[in-house]
Amino acid sequence: MNRKLLVGGLATAAVLIGVAGPAAAQDAEFDPFSTQVILDNIFVFIAGVLVFFMQAGFAMLEAGLTRAKSSAAIMMKNMMDMSIGVLLFLVLGYHIAYSGEDLIGFSWAFSDYPGVPDESYTLGVPVDFFFQAAFAAAAATIVSGALAERTKYVGYMVYTAVITGLIYPIVVNWHWGGGWINQMGFHDFAGSTIVHSVGGWAALMGAIIIGPRIGKYGPDGSPRAILGHSVPLAILGVFILFVGWFGFNPGSELAADLEVPRIAVTTLLSAAGGGLAAMLTIWVIAGKPDVSMAGNGILGGLVSITAGAFVMNPWMATLSGIIGGVIVVFSVLGIERAGVDDPVGAVSVHGVCGAWGTIAVGLFASNDALVSPADDADAIEGLFFGGGGGLLVDQIVGVIGVFVFVCVTAGALFYALKAAGMLRVSPEEEAAGLDVSEHGAPGYGELAALGSTSPTPTPSEGG
């Protein structure tokens, strides 16, 4: 027993020394088998697992907020977001994202690229690829929700491949790969713009070009509610995404150090602020605290802190989330009234809140947020903390640049798919649901046998 205690104590001490002394580990000669290096690698791997688990959250959220007759189609799309996204990111996307100023290059030694982070956690082994591939899959999944219930599966596979293999990696190259917005001074720690707004703006173009679902708008153009088939399923998706975000944001530190728990706290506070603010806002507007809108508020708060999780103190993180929660409600309602049918609110949660969260860095970033600001080259200050307006301008320029690029490229992609007849299913297939027409079997077999895979909406609900 004493020997076991001694061994356990020595192991614990080694871990604590490795966590407490990352700076010392960096100053020493690089040792691929040091405690700190091993911890960094395992930490990035675990964070990547959490981000991959977010695919389940996206699937549950999207399925719950749409009708049962297309639930199997939604599950298939989310599985293929991962499968297609990972493989395209391997053979093309990663090489574009991290090839530096040359924009594209190929090497099987992933750490050869100038944009790939320090070898202390890549080691020439693609643990960074594992983590970044999960981000690429997430960006593609965002688009799926906005085009739900009416998209051909073949068209979906094409746009997922293009987004993960080309559009998203180019934007990554601009910032995390050392490109032009990074050189300008733009800051997006974990991807409010680089991941979420890319997916959100692509979703916006897809939803505009494919058009609304049948029955979404009345003869006078006013929107009708098309209720999802399972609020519990949707909110389960929200909570899975919430948990996954503790891989998304803290994992973007890419090292097992003392900044990680602080980043987790800012993430938590922003999500809480977003959920509460969205619930109160829709309560005032609609007279009831809508459940799905509160769920989108939590997600909006999470997206709102993704850019600034590293450089905001807890109070500013909470404020950022609160503002994001209010924004997401008005954005969902405004986009719907503008004639854009987004069944899950993807454009608002990821595109609009992603833009807000990125701009918020230029307002709320502060050096006092960091554990060791004097030693951290990434310490920056926003407008409200004495940093002037330079960072705010850089953030706005980056947001606009990504918006224009994604809208143009994704818009061209969706127009091409529409012209080729590969984007939208026929009205008959849409009315019957995509499960059978696209995949040959209903998502809920017993309900299909009873003829109730999709409850008939009332006139006020659309159809």
Side-chain angles (χ1 to χ4, degrees), residues 344-364:
V344 302
V347 177
S348 300
V349 169
H350 300 279
V352 177
C353 286
W356 154 244
T358 307
I359 292 170
V361 172
L363 301 173
F364 302 149

Side-chain angles (χ1 to χ4, degrees), residues 74 84 97 113 122 144 166 171 270-271 274 279 286 317 326-327 360 366 411 458:
I74 289 168
I84 296 172
Y113 290 125
T122 62
S144 173
L166 189 62
V171 176
S270 187
M279 185 270 290
V326 174
I327 287 173
S366 60
T458 65

